[in-house]
Amino acid sequence: MVNLPDAVVGDAQTSLFAWNRLEELVDVGNRMAGQQGEAAGAEIIHEAFEDAGLRNPRIEEFEIPGWWRGDSSLTVESPHERTHEGSHQVVALPGTPAGEATAPIVDVGDGTYEEFEAESDELDGAIAMASSNTPEHADRWLHRMEKYVNAADHGAVAFVFRNHIEGALPPTGEVGYNNRPGPIPAVGVSKEVGARLERYAGEGDCEVTVSVDCRNEAATSRNVEALVGPEGPDEGGEADEVLVTAHVDGHDIADGANDNGAGSVLVAEVGRLLSQVAADLDSRVRLVTFGSEEIGLRGAYHCAETTDLSNVKCVINLDGACSSRNLRVGTNGFEELGDLFRSVADEFDAPVSTDDTISPHGDQWAFVQEGVPSTMTGTSSEQSGRGWGHTHADTLDKLDSRNLRDVATLVTEAVYRAAQDDFEVESRSREETRDAIDEGYVQELKMGGRWPYEDDT
C-alpha cells in the first residue's frame, strides 16, 4: 500500500514547484562546473530549498580544476578541403589541452578495445576517430574517456569523437578526469561530419587538422544542501540519514534540461513534499545538489569525504530523470534498494527497470566505492545511449511536466519508506565492493586515474 498521505500524493501530482524551478535553471544556459552559470544554478536550488521550508539550507564551496572553452575547428586537408568550425559541427571536449595536430585520420568504429588493437599499426602518429555508440555485443557501456585514453596510448596525436545520433549535434563530455588536462587534443563532431570523415577514411588517405583553444585553470564549485526530519548527530540528535542527491552542473554547450536540471529540481521537490510529513520520518533526509559531476564527480566526492558515512543509511541519486515516467534504477548490487523501488512502482502501477551492476558512472559512485548503499535513479526512453544528453539539444522542450510530477511522486514515496526504521539495507566494506566490481569497469577506472583502492590485488 502507498504510505504517503493522499494529500501529499495529490500535491505531488498537481504542483508546478519543480517545473517552474527547472525553467529557471535552463534559462541560466551554461552551467559548466566552476563557472558563473553553475553558481547561478546553485543559488536557484538554494532558494528552492528555502521556499520549500527545509532546514538549514546552505551552499558549500570547494576548489576544482576548471576548464574554459575557446574556438575549435576540424579542417579536412585531403581528399577534399573543407573546414568545420561551427558549434553544430565540432566542439572541444572538456579536459582536453589546447593544441593543434595534422595527420591522417583512422576510423576505429565504435572504439572497442578490439577495434583499437586491430588498427594499432595505423594509429601511431594519426588522428583516431571513434563513435559515441556502444555496440550491442559489448558486455557493458564504453565511456568516451576509455576511447580517448586508448587513442593516446596507441600513439594518436588527436582524438575525434563522432556522435551516433543525427541532427548536427556534436557530443561533449569530459576526457581528462584525474589526469587533467589530457595528453592529446580532443573534439566531438556531429554524426554528419563524422559520416563524411568515415567515408573519406574508407576511400583511402584522409588528412585532417584538429585545432583546439581552451584554458585549464583552478576554479570554485558549489554543493547545496538542506535537511528535513529528525536531527542527526551533527545537530545533537541520534538519527541516521538518507541522502537524496543530484548534480546541478551541466555542459557549456547546452541547457542541461534532463542532464541534470530535472534531477536537481526533483531533489528540491522531494524535500518540499517530505516537509509535510517530517514528523513521520525516523531517519533524517539530507537533500544535496552537487557541483562538478560532469568533470569527475567532484562535488559528490567532496560530500562523501566530509560526511560521517557510518550515519548514512542509503543514497538515492537522481540523474536524467525526466525523459519519461519509466523509472530506471541502478542498484549497484544493493538488492534491498531494488526491492524498494520495485514495490513502489508496483503500488503506483508504474513501469520500472532495475540493474544490479556496480557502476562508476554517476555521483552515487563516490558513496558506492565506500560500501554505502546507493542507487543511480533516472528514467528510460527509446533513444540509444545518452540521447539528447551532452549535446545542444538537451533542452526543456524535450521534457514533459507530467513526467516530472510522476517521477517526483515515485521517488518521494521511495525516500519516505527508506527513512522508516523498518527499512533495512546492508552496507558493504570497501574490500567487498572492490572485489565485486566488474573487470571491465576496473580497467576503465584505472585508465582514467579513478581507481580508489590502494590495497589492490
Side-chain angles (χ1 to χ4, degrees):
M1 60 179 290
V2 175
N3 293 333
L4 284 172
D6 289 348
V8 176
V9 175
D11 187 0
Q13 286 292 310
T14 57
S15 173
L16 288 176
F17 178 86
W19 186 259
N20 289 341
R21 266 55 185 195
L22 181 55
E23 288 184 342
E24 293 179 46
L25 275 182
V26 299
D27 287 342
V28 168
N30 169 15
R31 300 196 307 277
M32 190 73 183
Q35 299 184 21
Q36 183 177 357
E38 186 195 48
E43 290 290 350
I44 289 170
I45 297 301
H46 182 263
E47 182 178 331
F49 285 170
E50 289 183 324
D51 291 347
L54 303 180
R55 187 167 76 250
N56 192 28
R58 67 188 185 95
I59 296 177
E60 184 173 0
E61 296 184 347
F62 55 96
E63 297 306 304
I64 63 165
W67 183 87
W68 282 261
R69 180 184 306 283
D71 295 328
S72 299
S73 65
L74 185 149
T75 299
V76 181
E77 309 291 353
S78 65
H80 306 285
E81 291 187 13
R82 185 164 185 172
T83 296
H84 300 286
E85 55 189 356
S87 62
H88 65 292
Q89 298 173 318
V90 57
V91 296
L93 301 183
T96 179
E100 182 173 291
T102 300
I105 196 161
V106 175
D107 179 24
V108 290
D110 290 329
T112 64
Y113 286 81
E114 295 77 13
E115 287 170 308
F116 269 104
E117 196 58 36
E119 298 291 346
S120 181
D121 293 341
E122 305 297 324
L123 283 167
D124 190 25
I127 293 174
M129 180 175 69
S131 169
S132 60
N133 186 52
T134 293
E136 291 185 3
H137 63 76
D139 57 3
R140 64 178 179 86
W141 183 52
L142 294 174
H143 196 275
R144 91 190 71 80
M145 181 275 302
E146 294 178 83
K147 303 178 185 186
Y148 173 73
V149 173
N150 254 328
D153 285 350
H154 281 82
V157 295
F159 176 68
V160 176
F161 189 52
R162 59 183 176 92
N163 205 348
H164 70 286
I165 302 293
E166 63 186 14
L169 297 169
T172 190
E174 174 71 25
V175 291
Y177 286 97
N178 290 347
N179 297 322
R180 206 181 228 218
I184 58 176
V187 297
V189 299
S190 67
K191 179 179 181 179
E192 293 76 9
V193 170
R196 181 178 301 114
L197 296 174
E198 180 185 20
R199 175 165 59 89
Y200 289 169
E203 292 174 351
D205 290 339
C206 173
E207 188 169 83
V208 303
T209 297
V210 169
S211 179
V212 173
D213 179 35
C214 64
R215 290 186 291 124
N216 283 275
E217 298 176 5
T220 300
S221 187
R222 296 156 178 82
N223 288 348
V224 190
E225 66 175 63
L227 307 168
V228 64
E231 293 183 344
D234 55 322
E235 299 176 293
E238 300 180 353
D240 57 11
E241 64 179 357
V242 174
L243 267 62
V244 182
T245 67
H247 69 90
V248 76
D249 63 306
H251 280 291
D252 56 345
I253 69 168
D255 291 346
N258 194 48
D259 184 16
N260 189 33
S264 296
V265 300
L266 280 168
V267 168
E269 175 70 339
V270 169
R272 187 186 73 85
L273 295 169
L274 289 177
S275 69
Q276 301 174 42
V277 288
D280 297 342
L281 304 176
D282 297 321
S283 298
R284 182 175 73 179
V285 176
R286 179 150 56 120
L287 299 309
V288 190
T289 59
F290 302 124
S292 304
E293 188 268 358
E294 297 289 8
I295 65 166
L297 319 182
R298 297 180 186 277
Y301 276 118
H302 178 77
C303 179
E305 291 165 1
T306 55
T307 293
D308 183 351
L309 296 181
S310 66
N311 293 324
V312 178
K313 188 175 187 181
C314 63
V315 178
I316 308 298
N317 183 53
L318 303 170
D319 202 340
C322 193
S323 61
S324 70
R325 67 186 292 264
N326 304 328
L327 281 183
R328 181 187 71 250
V329 181
T331 68
N332 293 286
F334 296 103
E335 187 59 29
E336 300 92 339
L337 292 175
D339 291 340
L340 171 67
F341 275 94
R342 284 188 290 269
S343 66
V344 169
D346 183 61
E347 294 292 348
F348 281 87
D349 193 25
V352 65
S353 61
T354 59
D355 185 288
D356 63 2
T357 302
I358 298 176
S359 172
H361 300 299
D363 282 319
Q364 78 289 335
W365 171 245
F367 302 90
V368 171
Q369 71 174 45
E370 304 300 326
V372 178
S374 309
T375 71
M376 168 65 135
T377 302
T379 55
S380 59
S381 66
E382 295 179 357
Q383 281 196 324
S384 171
R386 295 185 185 277
W388 304 120
H390 287 207
T391 74
H392 300 293
D394 186 5
T395 50
L396 190 66
D397 56 286
K398 310 297 190 307
L399 307 184
D400 190 318
S401 63
R402 294 169 294 183
N403 291 336
L404 193 67
R405 293 195 294 271
D406 282 346
V407 172
T409 305
L410 298 171
V411 173
T412 303
E413 175 73 19
V415 175
Y416 182 81
R417 295 185 188 186
Q420 305 303 320
D421 283 341
D422 60 3
F423 176 76
E424 298 180 355
V425 54
E426 187 174 352
S427 62
R428 290 190 296 256
S429 69
R430 279 175 58 89
E431 292 75 17
E432 288 171 332
T433 300
R434 179 198 63 196
D435 294 343
I437 300 171
D438 179 85
E439 183 178 344
Y441 282 133
V442 172
Q443 184 177 28
E444 178 195 329
L445 287 163
K446 290 181 177 179
M447 288 179 73
R450 299 175 57 209
W451 182 247
Y453 305 108
E454 293 180 5
D455 184 19
D456 185 15
T457 57

